[in-house]
């Protein structure tokens, strides 16, 4: 009797261990599966191609409606250079280049139509020039109003009709923000006196409305309303603003992302301004270094990529929502930033980045190591 | 004279000058808390975050087990913590699977050849003029924002002024000001709503096909974003613009679902039919047509659409539900008619 009982209990024990083991294994398999699923679901950043160049690259831009991009910068002998690269099946191929007297600092295609595709550039001497890429002997439009290097340039409503005049805005170290219309040759249309680090155009959703956002070395961010010619809003963040972008140019303004020194990213919901609470904002610390720029995905405004001084790129997603307070006045509710992917591209700061508007996930970036990289980000269609 | 061999010493000396505050003293966590039991039972995500940071920095020495425990606890308490972010190096083309690589490069190549065609078309139709109906902006000086006139403070020794001061009226005044601000904000909202549908654009002046396709795609993407954030009116506007520059299966399908959301079922039906004339077996269009028909109470036709979708894609849950609902209604109709026959007898 005694023997039997003991054996039974020991059997019980082994079987329970077995069950436990089975459960545990099942659990493990499930966990493995889910982690692998996560890895598969997450966007991946793939370096499709990279090319080392022999000059300092200041900006890269895709040529709209083509598989080509430009890299602009300056050589060590002081000459400015613009190079045109074409994407082929295997790699990138240099198509054309031209050199000018001064380093080019920044460029944009956004103020010219698809049939022209003229490149507007700002250079170290403060000149704004508009180039026809196929006939680049002399610029088709130029101004010399700025006295010092043009740090930032942006254009609006080149390709989209019904959003007002195609205008270029430039911000320079000499303390001016100027607005230009390529149809008029001489004087700037507007002149706003401030020292500018970064700026951009946005909120151009019909013929009248238009807003300039400017970020400054001292951490100020200002919104200029061009319709009423007033400072619409201003805010001081702790550190100098290095990158600034609206999520879309040709819609009523929705979201503004500013990146600063000391690894801070500020995301403002500029859709709803509450009389007391103002704009809602989210702050995020990332990269452990200067965040050089934030660029929104052209196909999905909730996703943006930030470029860090430590050579990594972070893909972020942000969601905004609205609520109304007790008096029925809506106010923005700051959402949450979610990190989708974090990849190291280089050991040097990545300074410029551009998404291709025609192909989801295709982008190009340049770093201080004088290399341009063509990147492909997968699975963005799932968001 | 100092030689190269002195360099480490120099560095040491310099670091002793600027004694840095350790993370431990910065966060002020009692040393008792650096213990397995405490970490495993801690419920304060912020503290675990700090503990993890201290352990990660290696300032207090290397404790792999504690680090692991802290990491596990943190990923349990706050999985989105920024200390848990992992950087991976960018994936090189060489390290990809053969299949994935081939798929990627094929996709890219087909896109390159396609977009290059558009690009060449644009190049041949180059113009030098800038066409725009908007006027050139007239220069205007920048106005400063109206600053509020500063209220004069009553100095503390000015007793006669304080005698006249009535707190109740001041409170009332403040409340009135508040009210005014609120009213202005509400009116601003109303104006915003009024201004929304105003946008009128002529999209039929494209000289090239490539331009039309480009604008159509951009407008569709904008529409998708508005749709996602629930602004259906704006989404509708964008889709309509997209269709007027170049109708395609995608933008028509998207407008159909926007019409469904806005409860304009007849228009949705019309868009679905347009898609089906372009592509006869488009499942999405069939499904949306079915939904529209159901809402228009044409249940038998809706059932037909749903059944078509189920035939092609048996696992489609939406279609199955739709079919179920439509069938119920059809049967109800049948039973109703039978009842009537009974009544006549």
């Amino acid at each position: 009797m005694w023997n039997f009982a003991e054996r039974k209990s020991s059997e019980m024990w082994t079987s329970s261990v077995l069950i436990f083991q089975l459960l545990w294994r099942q659990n493990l398999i499930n966990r493995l599966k889910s982690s692998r699923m996560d890895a598969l679901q997450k966007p991946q950043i793939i370096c499709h191609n990279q090319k080392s160049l022999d000059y300092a690259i200041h900006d890269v831009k895709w040529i709209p409606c083509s598989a080509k991009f430009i890299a602009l910068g300056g050589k060590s002998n002081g000459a400015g250079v613009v190079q045109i690269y074409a994407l082929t099946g295997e790699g990138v191929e240099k198509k054309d280049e031209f050199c000018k007297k001064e380093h080019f600092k920044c460029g944009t295609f956004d103020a010219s139509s698809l049939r022209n595709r003229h490149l507007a550039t700002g250079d170290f001497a403060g000149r704004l020039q508009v180039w026809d890429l196929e006939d680049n002997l002399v610029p088709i439009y130029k101004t010399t109003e700025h006295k010092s290097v043009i740090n930032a340039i942006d254009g609006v409503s080149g390709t989209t009709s019904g959003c007002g005049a195609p205008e270029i805005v430039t911000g320079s170290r000499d303390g001016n923000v100027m607005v230009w219309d390529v149809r008029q040759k001489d004087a700037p249309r507007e002149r706003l006196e401030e020292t500018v680090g970064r700026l951009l155009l946005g909120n151009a959703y019909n013929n009248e409305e238009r807003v300039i956002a400017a970020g400054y070395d001292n951490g100020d961010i200002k919104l200029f309303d061009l319709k009423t010619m007033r400072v619409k809003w201003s805010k001081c963040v702790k550190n100098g603003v290095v990158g600034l972008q609206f999520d879309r140019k040709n819609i009523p303004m929705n979201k503004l992302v500013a990146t600063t020194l000391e690894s801070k990213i500020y995301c403002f919901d500029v859709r709803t301004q509450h009389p007391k609470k103002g704009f809602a904002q989210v702050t995020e610390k990332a990269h452990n270094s200067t965040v050089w720029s934030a660029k929104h995905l052209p196909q999905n405004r909730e996703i943006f990529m930030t470029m860090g001084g430590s050579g990594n790129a972070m893909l972020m997603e942000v969601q905004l929502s609205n609520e109304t307070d007790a008096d029925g006045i809506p106010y923005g509710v700051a959402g949450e930033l979610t990190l989708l992917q974090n990849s190291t591209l280089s050991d040097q700061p990545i300074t410029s980045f551009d998404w291709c508007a025609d192909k989801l996930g295709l982008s190009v970036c340049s770093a201080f190591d004088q290399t341009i990289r063509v990147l492909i980000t997968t699975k963005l269609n799932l968001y | 004279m100092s030689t190269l061999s002195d360099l480490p010493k120099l560095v040491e000396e310099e670091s002793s000058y600027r004694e840095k505050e350790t993370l431990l003293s910065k966060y002020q966590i009692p040393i008792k808390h650096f213990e397995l039991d405490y970490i495993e039972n801690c419920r304060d995500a912020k503290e675990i975050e700090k503990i993890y940071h201290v352990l990660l920095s290696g300032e207090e020495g290397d404790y792999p087990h504690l680090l692991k425990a802290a990491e596990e606890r943190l990923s349990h308490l706050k999985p989105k913590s920024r200390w848990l972010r992992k950087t991976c190096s960018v994936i090189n083309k060489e390290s990809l699977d053969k299949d994935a690589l081939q798929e990627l490069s094929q996709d890219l190549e087909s896109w390159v050849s396609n977009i290059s065609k558009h690009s060449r078309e644009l190049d041949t139709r180059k113009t030098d003029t800038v066409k725009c109906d908007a006027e050139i902006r007239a220069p205007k000086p920048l106005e400063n924002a109206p600053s509020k006139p500063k209220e004069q403070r009553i100095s503390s020794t000015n007793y006669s002024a304080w005698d006249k001061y009535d707190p109740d009226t001041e409170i009332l005044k403040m409340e009135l000001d508040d009210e005014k601000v609120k009213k202005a904000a509400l009116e601003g909202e109303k104006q915003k709503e009024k201004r929304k549908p105003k946008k009128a654009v002529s999209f039929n002046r494209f000289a090239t096909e490539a331009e039309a396709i480009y604008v159509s795609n951009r407008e569709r993407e904008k529409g998708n974003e508005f749709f996602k954030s629930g602004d259906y009116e704006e989404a509708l506007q964008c889709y309509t613009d997209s269709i007027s520059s170049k109708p395609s299966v995608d933008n028509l399908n998207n407008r159909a679902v926007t019409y469904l959301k806005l409860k304009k079922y007849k228009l949705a039906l019309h868009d679905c039919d347009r898609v089906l004339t372009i592509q006869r077996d488009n499942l999405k269009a069939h499904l949306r047509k079915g939904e529209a028909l159901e809402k228009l109470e044409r249940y038998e036709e809706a059932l037909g659409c749903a059944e078509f979708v189920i035939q092609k894609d048996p696992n489609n849950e939406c279609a199955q539900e739709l079919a179920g609902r439509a069938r119920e209604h059809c049967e109800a109709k049948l039973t109703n008619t039978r009842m009537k026959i009974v009544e006549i007898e």
Side-chain angles (χ1 to χ4, degrees):
Chain A
M1 263 326 260
W2 176 84
N3 231 339
F4 175 72
E6 193 195 49
R7 197 192 284 163
K8 200 174 183 185
S9 73
S10 75
E11 258 172 29
M12 284 276 282
W13 190 72
T14 44
S15 65
S16 73
V17 165
L18 233 165
I19 287 171
F20 176 74
Q21 263 185 343
L22 274 176
L23 278 174
W24 183 74
R25 197 175 287 173
Q26 194 60 41
N27 204 353
L28 199 75
I29 289 168
N30 280 345
R31 209 188 286 173
L32 261 177
K33 253 187 197 166
S34 70
S35 74
R36 196 181 293 165
M37 281 301 279
D38 274 357
L40 284 175
Q41 292 292 319
K42 255 169 92 174
Q44 301 286 341
I45 301 174
I46 299 166
C47 182
H48 178 256
N49 238 295
Q50 60 181 46
K51 205 176 177 90
S52 289
L53 307 179
D54 59 347
Y55 59 92
I57 309 152
H58 293 303
D59 208 355
V60 283
K61 281 273 158 7
W62 284 98
I63 301 177
C65 208
S66 76
K68 287 183 269 187
F69 62 89
I70 57 126
L72 51 82
K75 293 193 168 164
S76 51
N77 64 1
V81 56
V82 174
Q83 290 185 326
I84 301 162
Y85 288 91
L87 201 66
T88 59
E90 293 86 49
V92 282
E93 196 178 293
K94 189 166 86 178
K95 286 281 174 198
D96 197 7
E97 74 174 325
F98 60 91
C99 291
K100 297 291 162 195
K101 206 172 136 202
E102 292 283 344
H103 271 221
F104 290 110
K105 174 73 185 172
C106 47
T108 181
F109 285 100
D110 292 349
S112 76
S113 75
L114 276 181
R115 278 156 74 193
N116 295 334
R117 288 185 285 183
H118 293 153
L119 172 67
T121 59
D123 68 9
F124 272 29
R127 280 176 302 195
L128 161 71
Q129 290 157 317
V130 181
W131 304 95
D132 183 343
L133 290 178
E134 283 170 351
D135 179 17
N136 49 42
L137 202 62
V138 283
I140 49 173
Y141 180 83
K142 68 170 178 194
T143 65
T144 50
E145 286 281 318
H146 284 298
K147 292 291 170 285
S148 180
V149 46
I150 294 180
N151 276 326
I153 193 167
D154 199 15
V156 76
S157 73
T159 54
T160 42
S161 53
C163 298
E167 283 176 329
I168 299 169
V169 57
T170 52
S172 160
R173 189 186 288 165
D174 69 357
N176 283 325
V177 178
M178 294 192 200
V179 184
W180 308 89
D181 194 315
V182 260
R183 292 171 296 175
Q184 195 164 40
K185 297 275 175 201
D186 41 0
R189 304 278 42 86
E190 308 289 355
R191 184 197 292 257
L192 318 163
E193 308 240 340
E194 302 282 348
T195 320
V196 174
R198 278 285 137 182
L199 86 172
L200 72 150
L201 276 166
N203 195 36
Y205 59 93
N206 62 28
N207 278 342
E208 295 101 47
E209 302 280 343
R210 190 159 290 180
V211 153
I212 297 176
Y216 300 87
D217 294 353
N218 62 355
D220 276 355
I221 300 169
K222 285 185 183 177
L223 288 185
F224 300 104
D225 190 338
L226 284 184
K227 186 184 171 194
T228 55
M229 281 310 285
R230 273 206 187 138
V231 179
K232 203 178 171 132
W233 173 75
S234 76
K235 161 110 189 161
C236 188
V237 295
K238 263 185 194 159
N239 303 105
V241 181
V242 208
L244 197 62
Q245 201 186 28
F246 279 120
D247 57 353
R248 284 283 167 278
K249 281 179 182 175
N250 42 14
I251 58 168
M253 51 179 191
N254 181 53
K255 185 174 89 213
L256 178 70
V257 174
T259 61
T260 70
L261 303 173
E262 308 264 338
S263 62
K264 281 272 179 66
I265 301 166
Y266 295 85
C267 180
F268 300 98
D269 175 5
V270 284
R271 217 164 19 161
T272 35
Q273 189 173 18
H274 191 268
K276 274 189 188 150
K277 291 180 177 124
F279 294 128
Q281 77 174 76
V282 203
T283 317
E284 179 75 27
K285 219 170 164 178
H287 290 291
N288 295 325
S289 63
T290 303
V291 189
W292 281 87
S293 68
K295 292 283 158 100
H296 286 88
L297 186 67
Q299 290 83 6
N300 185 348
R301 66 182 182 195
E302 274 160 14
I303 295 177
F304 61 89
M305 185 88 97
T306 58
M307 302 291 125
S310 48
N312 56 350
M314 283 187 172
L315 194 66
M316 304 260 198
E317 190 189 22
V318 67
Q319 265 141 2
L320 307 168
S321 60
N322 262 346
E323 263 175 43
T324 46
D325 67 2
D327 300 308
I329 305 169
Y331 64 95
V333 178
E336 199 176 272
L337 282 171
T338 321
L339 182 73
L340 301 180
Q341 186 56 264
N342 183 3
S343 281
T344 312
L345 305 177
S346 158
D347 45 6
Q348 300 277 326
I350 303 166
T351 50
S352 61
F353 180 90
D354 196 33
W355 290 105
C356 180
D358 301 286
K359 172 86 182 146
L360 181 69
L362 188 64
S363 56
V364 62
C365 72
S366 77
F368 276 172
D369 57 4
Q370 303 199 342
T371 306
I372 45 173
R373 291 176 176 82
V374 177
L375 308 172
I376 297 171
T377 312
T378 57
K379 304 208 173 55
L380 285 170
N381 51 345
L382 302 177
Y383 288 87
Chain B
M1 208 183 100
S2 59
T3 58
L4 198 68
S5 59
D6 293 336
L7 203 66
K9 260 190 221 164
L10 277 173
V11 172
E12 254 173 46
E13 269 173 34
E14 204 189 278
S15 63
S16 68
Y17 286 134
R18 336 176 246 140
E19 211 167 281
K20 239 181 107 185
E21 190 187 24
T22 60
L23 280 172
L24 191 66
S25 60
K26 185 181 158 196
Y27 289 142
Q28 294 192 325
I29 303 169
I31 198 81
K32 268 194 292 188
H33 290 183
F34 286 85
E35 190 206 10
L36 271 177
D37 274 352
Y38 182 81
I39 288 173
E40 272 163 12
N41 297 316
C42 182
R43 287 172 187 283
D44 184 2
K46 271 193 179 159
E47 188 173 5
I48 285 286
E49 239 176 3
K50 285 173 183 168
I51 290 175
Y52 185 62
H53 187 199
V54 171
L55 289 169
L56 206 63
S57 71
E59 279 175 3
E60 310 300 323
D62 196 16
Y63 304 98
H65 288 286
L66 275 183
L67 191 70
K68 209 178 159 196
E71 186 178 341
E72 256 173 33
R73 190 68 197 156
L74 185 57
S75 60
H76 178 71
L77 286 173
K78 195 178 171 188
K80 279 181 180 174
S81 165
R82 92 189 165 93
W83 297 110
L84 290 177
R85 281 180 194 160
K86 293 271 181 295
T87 4
C88 56
S89 69
V90 70
I91 302 166
N92 274 323
K93 248 195 330 188
E94 288 74 33
S95 61
L96 278 176
D97 288 347
K98 226 177 193 180
D99 292 348
L101 184 64
Q102 201 176 7
E103 197 181 314
L104 209 71
S105 57
Q106 259 176 11
D107 182 41
L108 203 64
E109 254 170 68
S110 70
W111 172 75
V112 167
S113 67
N114 189 20
I115 201 82
S116 302
K117 225 184 283 163
H118 290 178
S119 182
R120 277 196 296 278
E121 189 193 348
L122 288 172
D123 280 340
T124 53
R125 298 289 299 271
K126 211 164 173 174
T127 56
D128 280 335
T129 53
V130 180
K131 247 206 219 161
C132 184
D133 40 5
E135 280 174 22
I136 297 176
R137 194 185 296 274
K140 248 198 308 187
L142 183 67
E143 273 177 48
N144 283 323
S147 56
K148 277 184 194 165
K150 263 203 171 170
E151 276 180 37
Q152 285 194 339
R153 278 186 63 158
I154 306 170
S155 71
S156 54
T157 47
N158 190 353
Y159 296 110
S160 57
W162 279 113
D163 282 340
K164 283 174 204 158
Y165 184 83
D166 181 12
D168 289 338
T169 51
E170 291 299 316
I171 289 170
L172 206 66
K173 231 189 236 171
M174 273 158 71
E175 273 170 8
L176 276 176
D177 280 352
D178 264 12
E179 227 23 47
K180 244 185 230 167
V181 170
K182 271 175 206 161
K183 225 179 219 176
L186 279 177
E187 255 166 40
E189 277 307 306
K190 264 182 212 161
Q191 274 182 357
K192 225 189 240 173
E193 269 160 31
K194 256 185 222 165
R195 155 179 100 184
K196 268 173 193 168
K198 205 176 91 183
K199 190 178 172 186
V201 192
S202 56
F203 271 96
N204 47 5
R205 50 193 183 79
F206 298 111
T208 56
E209 177 98 354
E211 273 175 286
I213 291 172
Y214 182 88
V215 172
S216 167
N217 283 339
R218 292 300 89 73
E219 288 293 323
R220 197 191 74 232
E221 283 158 8
K222 247 166 71 180
N224 289 351
E225 283 167 359
F226 281 128
F227 186 86
K228 230 187 256 171
S229 60
D231 304 324
Y232 299 120
E233 290 286 344
E234 278 104 335
L236 181 64
Q237 181 69 48
C238 288
Y239 289 138
T240 307
D241 289 345
S242 176
I243 290 164
S244 62
S245 45
K246 176 102 186 152
S248 75
V249 172
D250 287 336
N251 54 23
L252 281 167
N253 248 339
N254 291 358
R255 189 167 75 171
V257 74
T258 318
Y259 276 136
L260 281 181
K261 292 273 180 200
L262 292 168
K263 302 200 167 98
K264 295 176 179 168
Y265 302 114
K266 272 187 186 160
L267 290 165
L269 195 64
H270 181 69
D271 275 348
C272 289
D273 283 336
R274 267 179 85 182
V275 175
L276 294 178
T277 53
I278 302 171
Q279 204 181 67
R280 260 182 60 200
D281 50 355
N282 189 302
L283 289 187
K284 269 188 196 172
H286 272 290
L287 187 60
R288 280 163 198 172
K289 188 179 173 183
E291 279 170 29
L293 285 168
E294 189 206 353
K295 291 290 185 323
L296 292 169
E297 296 177 2
R298 287 152 67 176
Y299 298 110
E300 274 159 44
E301 289 166 78
L303 188 61
C305 287
E307 271 168 359
F308 180 85
V309 178
I310 292 170
Q311 201 185 352
K312 294 270 172 179
D313 177 14
N315 293 329
N316 195 319
E317 281 173 21
C318 291
Q320 281 164 0
E321 276 173 27
L322 177 66
R325 284 198 304 263
R327 212 167 274 138
E328 244 172 51
H329 280 287
C330 289
E331 277 166 14
K333 231 184 206 172
L334 281 178
T335 50
N336 276 348
T337 45
R338 257 180 220 152
M339 287 289 282
K340 268 178 201 166
I341 294 163
V342 173
E343 272 172 14
I344 289 161
E345 276 178 6

